[in-house]
Amino acid sequence: MELADTLRPDGDPKGGVLAHLERLETRMHRSRKKLEEPQTVQAEESALVTEIQKLRRLRDKLRAEVKRRQAGFGLLHILQVKASTANVEPDQTWEITEQEVLERKWENLKAVLQAYRFTGLSGKLTSRGVCVCISTAFEGNLLDSYFMDLIVQKPLRIHRHSVPVFIPLEELSAKYLETNIQHFLFTLCEYLNAYSGRKYQADRLQSDFAAFLAGPLQRNSLCNLLSFTYKVEPRGQSFPLCARLLYKDLTRTLPTDVTVTYQGMDALSTSWEEQRASQENLFRTKPLHHVFTSFARKGEMLDMSLVS
Amino acid sequence: MQRSSQEFSRGHISAKEMDETVAEFFKRTILKIPMAEMMTILKAWDFLSENQLQTVNFRQRKESLVQDLVLLCEKKRASLNDAAILDIVYTQFHRHQKVWDVFRMSREPGEDIDLFDMEQFKRSFKKILQRALKNVTISFRDAEENAVWIRIAWGSQYRKPNQYRPVYVVYYSQTPYAFTSSSQLRSNIPLLGQALTIASKHHQIMKMDLRSRYLDSLKAIVFKQYNQTFETHNSTTPLHERSLGLDINMDSRIIHENRIEKERVQRVTQETFGYYPQPRLEFAQYKLETKFKSDLNGGILAEREEPLRCLIKFSSPHLLEALKALAPAGIADAPLSPLLTCIPNKGMNYFKIRDK
């Protein structure tokens, strides 16, 4: 059909044949191209597919790596991972890196150092010396902590501290700081622990046994002189007693001198005198709040016996 | 002000009615109290019960309220001592209105253990003052931390105590320090010192060169309670993180030219003043009696034999914080003069400087 187009009315043979040949050539190119295209496309396609698969494999590998690192260095995790990898690849051994070991040791040490304060006397190195911490306790109750910043120089001196002003720190440091620091620290511990213990007993009496007191508890800063009026039974008919406790030994939590009198009564019958003496003995031998706990318990037993 | 016919040297009231001077004292004391604090202070005073306070209309004008309250006090037979205690409560709430001096007591070494008995102290203190002065009103109010506030109204041989110019003393048991409100009536200070010393079983007393309106800051300075952040294994606060407003990484377009010097100044300031809030003082005073030293030749003041007398006073709403800010602000060189930085350590804000 195209042959018919080539015949021009003027009948020019050259333009016609060459043009015809040209047209045939282009037709041939076109059809060849059409045959080629699906092949290249396919080739390209398959190349891209392999690329995608390769990238996917790499992504999965990286994800697994991230997960492993994020989960931390806990032993449990390591065991878990070991178990899971054991299922998947039983031949792969898990290597705990040196850094992980060191970090676990570091955390352990820090925890031990923090727990040291429960021993009562601990410290931390500072840039100029050491910061000593005295943690006081009484009957298993952890009470206040006191600090001292020591500067290690000649002479050894206390830079600052949180010891209360009524504890004889200057005296003790003048006597022992230079010559025998161990003795200094242990003596200071004694003083502070005893003070904390006395304060604890006085606080307990004021807060827990206020019902037994007929009037305010008189105390001082060192809690080494306590004076109060009390009744053995809070609501009962018993006579009020006046107690005066002196703690002349500042390293002890029990009083050295106890005076108990019946309020306003000088001469006592023998039975009352016995009671009075036994009260004195109670305060001399048991911590203050324990004495009142025993009063409370006796009262409970009495109530129970009345009820039954 | 009408005086009653009987002379009361110790504030005892007659059975029938309250003394007019006492009533007047009540009125003026209650009038001082700002309306916003009226309920709080009356409750702290703990003389009028909750029920009694409820019978009073607190929304009326102050003058009428005061009248009602004075009437209540009369009905309850309030004494001069009760009025004095109300005055102490008011002063405790408004302690900044007074200027406080600090006294330090001492005793001979090797004394027995201090078995401080508060009641014995009060008895002893009262006895010593009353033995010396017939006309004096002494009142006590126990405070927290085993301290006592003492109010003293001075009289004289022939005059009743002046209730409107009292002196206050704050004493923490078993410590060597006492804080007193500055008083114009200076002649009674030695007697006051003597009473304090003997009653607290000390031997000597001396006035420190330390004075401020801020009683709690004075206490922090002498009890050394102002620098209480210590390094422990348990502390989570990083000690070296706080800066004095110099944030280097704030904006990358800002370049700090003197960064090294600024950091040095900051470090020196932190070392001197620490990381704690400074105790509050209003001034530091330096009395100079030194020879004038000058590098320049000549001048009027150079080459004088006599020392130059000169008084320098630094004032501030918060002196130590202001001193701390001087070097970082570029106003002074760091480190500051030890004369300025030793104030809390030495417990002094009055200095006399002479040539050695």
Side-chain angles (χ1 to χ4, degrees):
Chain A
M1 269 171 285
E2 279 153 273
L3 281 163
D5 294 340
T6 59
L7 280 170
R8 290 182 178 216
D10 54 15
D12 194 287
K14 202 180 182 186
V17 173
L18 281 175
H20 179 65
L21 280 174
E22 226 181 304
R23 277 196 288 274
L24 282 174
E25 203 180 45
T26 47
R27 209 190 300 160
M28 193 188 70
H29 277 304
R30 253 189 249 143
S31 58
R32 200 184 291 163
K33 232 182 161 183
K34 271 193 188 139
L35 282 173
E36 273 182 359
E37 272 176 358
Q39 282 177 355
T40 49
V41 164
Q42 262 181 19
E44 281 173 34
E45 235 186 81
S46 59
L48 283 172
V49 165
T50 41
E51 186 71 28
I52 285 170
Q53 285 174 344
K54 205 171 94 185
L55 286 171
R56 276 191 186 148
R57 276 201 298 274
L58 184 61
R59 176 201 67 185
D60 291 339
K61 229 168 102 181
L62 287 171
R63 268 190 190 162
E65 184 70 29
V66 165
K67 243 185 169 175
R68 182 180 76 82
R69 282 178 192 272
Q70 269 179 358
F73 309 103
L75 192 62
L76 187 62
H77 169 75
I78 290 170
L79 287 172
Q80 281 175 342
V81 172
K82 205 167 186 170
S84 60
T85 50
N87 292 334
V88 174
E89 286 167 81
D91 295 337
Q92 188 181 41
T93 50
W94 190 260
E95 280 165 7
I96 303 170
T97 62
E98 248 185 68
Q99 187 184 355
E100 289 165 20
V101 169
L102 278 173
E103 287 193 23
R104 253 186 293 149
K105 269 193 186 164
W106 169 238
E107 293 292 323
N108 239 13
L109 267 175
K110 272 211 292 198
V112 168
L113 283 172
Q114 282 182 12
Y116 238 96
R117 73 185 181 103
F118 294 115
T119 63
L121 183 60
S122 57
K124 180 173 194 251
L125 284 178
T126 62
S127 53
R128 292 199 281 178
V130 65
C131 181
V132 176
C133 171
I134 297 174
S135 307
T136 59
F138 182 68
E139 292 185 336
N141 299 294
L142 193 64
L143 302 171
D144 293 322
S145 294
Y146 301 97
F147 299 89
M148 261 195 320
D149 235 343
L150 294 176
I151 301 210
V152 178
Q153 265 176 11
K154 285 232 175 274
L156 181 67
R157 60 186 178 92
I158 303 172
H159 177 49
R160 57 198 180 96
H161 62 86
S162 67
V163 176
V165 66
F166 39 80
I167 301 280
L169 180 64
E170 280 83 36
E171 266 179 51
L172 286 174
S173 64
K175 270 197 230 168
Y176 302 116
L177 186 61
E178 286 289 303
T179 51
N180 187 351
I181 187 161
Q182 202 177 43
H183 185 79
F184 167 73
L185 286 173
F186 286 156
T187 315
L188 188 60
C189 272
E190 260 189 323
Y191 272 87
L192 287 171
N193 272 288
Y195 160 68
S196 271
R198 292 193 302 268
K199 182 162 169 293
Y200 179 79
Q201 293 175 60
D203 290 340
R204 289 279 74 64
L205 174 59
Q206 265 182 315
S207 60
D208 300 348
F209 300 102
F212 289 84
L213 292 178
L217 168 69
Q218 281 166 40
R219 53 198 283 182
N220 57 23
S221 297
L222 273 168
C223 292
N224 68 349
L225 192 149
L226 300 175
S227 183
F228 51 93
T229 309
Y230 71 101
K231 281 189 179 177
V232 180
E233 295 154 41
R235 296 167 306 272
Q237 307 292 328
S238 55
F239 261 100
L241 292 136
C242 297
R244 197 173 155 86
L245 277 60
L246 299 169
Y247 301 74
K248 285 190 185 155
D249 185 350
L250 289 179
T251 61
R252 289 183 56 204
T253 53
L254 283 175
T256 50
D257 295 69
V258 176
T259 322
V260 176
T261 53
Y262 274 99
Q263 196 178 43
M265 286 167 68
D266 292 321
L268 296 171
S269 61
T270 30
S271 63
W272 284 56
E273 175 57 37
E274 267 175 27
Q275 266 199 350
R276 191 199 66 80
S278 81
Q279 295 280 299
E280 265 187 19
N281 199 40
L282 268 177
F283 286 117
R284 213 175 277 127
T285 50
K286 284 165 71 169
L288 192 53
H289 57 309
H290 287 334
V291 175
F292 279 86
T293 315
S294 65
F295 292 163
R297 254 190 242 128
K298 258 190 228 151
E300 278 169 25
M301 281 176 10
L302 214 63
D303 284 341
M304 304 235 307
S305 66
L306 285 174
V307 166
S308 63
Chain B
M1 190 167 56
Q2 237 189 1
R3 286 174 197 269
S4 76
S5 51
Q6 292 194 0
E7 275 291 310
F8 301 129
S9 65
R10 306 254 166 90
H12 299 295
I13 58 163
S14 63
K16 290 241 179 92
E17 58 184 40
M18 190 186 279
D19 184 41
E20 278 194 33
T21 50
V22 177
E24 178 68 19
F25 180 37
F26 263 110
K27 180 166 150 230
R28 287 178 41 178
T29 309
I30 302 175
L31 258 177
K32 264 198 301 190
I33 306 172
M35 281 302 279
E37 296 168 18
M38 190 65 76
M39 196 50 123
T40 322
I41 292 185
L42 288 176
K43 280 201 178 139
W45 183 35
D46 201 25
F47 176 78
L48 297 170
S49 70
E50 189 77 46
N51 293 336
Q52 284 172 319
L53 285 175
Q54 274 173 11
T55 63
V56 178
N57 175 14
F58 279 85
R59 283 184 229 250
Q60 56 186 317
R61 263 175 55 244
K62 197 171 185 186
E63 288 83 16
S64 334
L65 170 65
V66 171
Q67 267 180 7
D68 287 351
L69 287 168
V70 174
L71 226 68
L72 258 185
C73 294
E74 280 189 9
K75 259 193 246 166
K76 220 182 167 188
R77 302 230 180 280
S79 66
L80 177 63
N81 194 52
D82 296 314
I85 306 258
L86 178 59
D87 203 11
I88 297 180
V89 175
Y90 171 82
T91 309
Q92 285 175 321
F93 274 80
H94 294 266
R95 50 188 78 180
H96 307 322
Q97 286 178 2
K98 306 260 177 223
V99 178
W100 299 89
D101 290 316
V102 190
F103 285 85
R104 175 168 40 211
M105 295 182 280
S106 56
R107 50 165 72 105
E108 300 300 311
E111 286 289 309
D112 284 335
I113 298 289
D114 185 3
L115 290 159
F116 183 85
D117 184 339
M118 185 60 89
E119 295 310 303
Q120 198 178 65
F121 168 81
K122 291 177 189 173
R123 277 195 304 265
S124 181
F125 183 85
K126 213 168 185 173
K127 200 164 70 165
I128 295 168
L129 281 187
Q130 284 173 343
R131 220 187 294 160
L133 271 180
K134 199 175 74 159
N135 288 317
V136 62
T137 312
I138 303 156
S139 317
F140 302 97
R141 184 165 198 257
D142 290 340
E144 75 294 324
E145 288 181 272
N146 301 292
V148 62
W149 280 60
I150 314 173
R151 178 185 178 276
I152 305 146
W154 303 106
S156 72
Q157 191 76 353
Y158 307 106
R159 261 180 309 160
K160 267 169 66 176
N162 182 352
Q163 300 299 338
Y164 302 101
R165 289 251 196 123
V167 163
Y168 293 90
V169 180
V170 182
Y171 177 59
Y172 289 80
S173 63
Q174 292 166 318
T175 70
Y177 298 100
F179 307 89
T180 62
S181 62
S182 297
S183 154
Q184 309 289 52
L185 309 167
R186 298 240 180 93
S187 55
N188 289 313
I189 297 296
L191 177 60
L192 175 61
Q194 195 182 44
L196 261 175
T197 314
I198 297 173
S200 67
K201 304 215 181 95
H202 287 90
H203 295 133
Q204 280 156 349
I205 186 167
M206 55 157 241
K207 187 160 177 231
M208 291 176 70
D209 291 321
L210 183 62
R211 179 185 287 169
S212 171
R213 287 187 180 276
Y214 301 102
L215 184 60
D216 301 315
S217 288
L218 291 174
K219 177 178 162 244
I221 289 173
V222 295
F223 291 174
K224 305 236 175 272
Q225 292 169 337
Y226 54 86
N227 187 1
Q228 300 286 285
T229 44
F230 294 91
E231 282 184 56
T232 68
H233 292 292
N234 302 67
S235 55
T236 46
T237 48
L239 285 177
H240 304 282
E241 295 296 298
R242 271 181 270 158
S243 72
L244 285 165
L246 188 67
D247 202 344
I248 307 274
N249 303 317
M250 203 162 50
D251 191 325
S252 55
R253 293 171 296 180
I254 298 175
I255 304 167
H256 292 274
E257 280 304 315
N258 296 331
R259 198 165 60 83
I260 295 172
E261 175 60 15
K262 281 201 171 118
E263 281 173 354
R264 183 195 75 88
V265 165
Q266 199 173 333
R267 186 178 42 84
V268 168
T269 307
Q270 301 281 43
E271 274 170 11
T272 320
F273 290 92
Y275 303 91
Y276 48 86
Q278 304 290 318
R280 195 169 176 184
L281 298 170
E282 317 89 83
F283 61 88
Q285 187 171 295
Y286 299 83
K287 216 175 208 177
L288 298 182
E289 283 176 27
T290 58
K291 277 212 208 156
F292 187 82
K293 295 187 187 95
S294 167
D295 294 329
L296 309 163
N297 287 325
I300 305 172
L301 298 173
E303 290 169 21
R304 278 186 131 213
E305 279 310 309
E306 307 128 35
L308 191 69
R309 280 171 232 275
C310 154
L311 186 77
I312 302 175
K313 186 171 177 180
F314 295 90
S315 302
S316 167
H318 199 322
L319 182 74
L320 294 176
E321 285 291 342
L323 291 176
K324 183 175 173 180
L326 278 181
I331 298 172
D333 289 330
L336 288 177
S337 161
L339 281 172
L340 292 170
T341 56
C342 71
I343 291 171
N345 279 336
K346 283 203 173 162
M348 291 172 78
N349 62 348
Y350 276 79
F351 297 84
K352 280 203 185 69
I353 303 164
R354 295 197 183 91
D355 283 323
K356 291 211 173 85

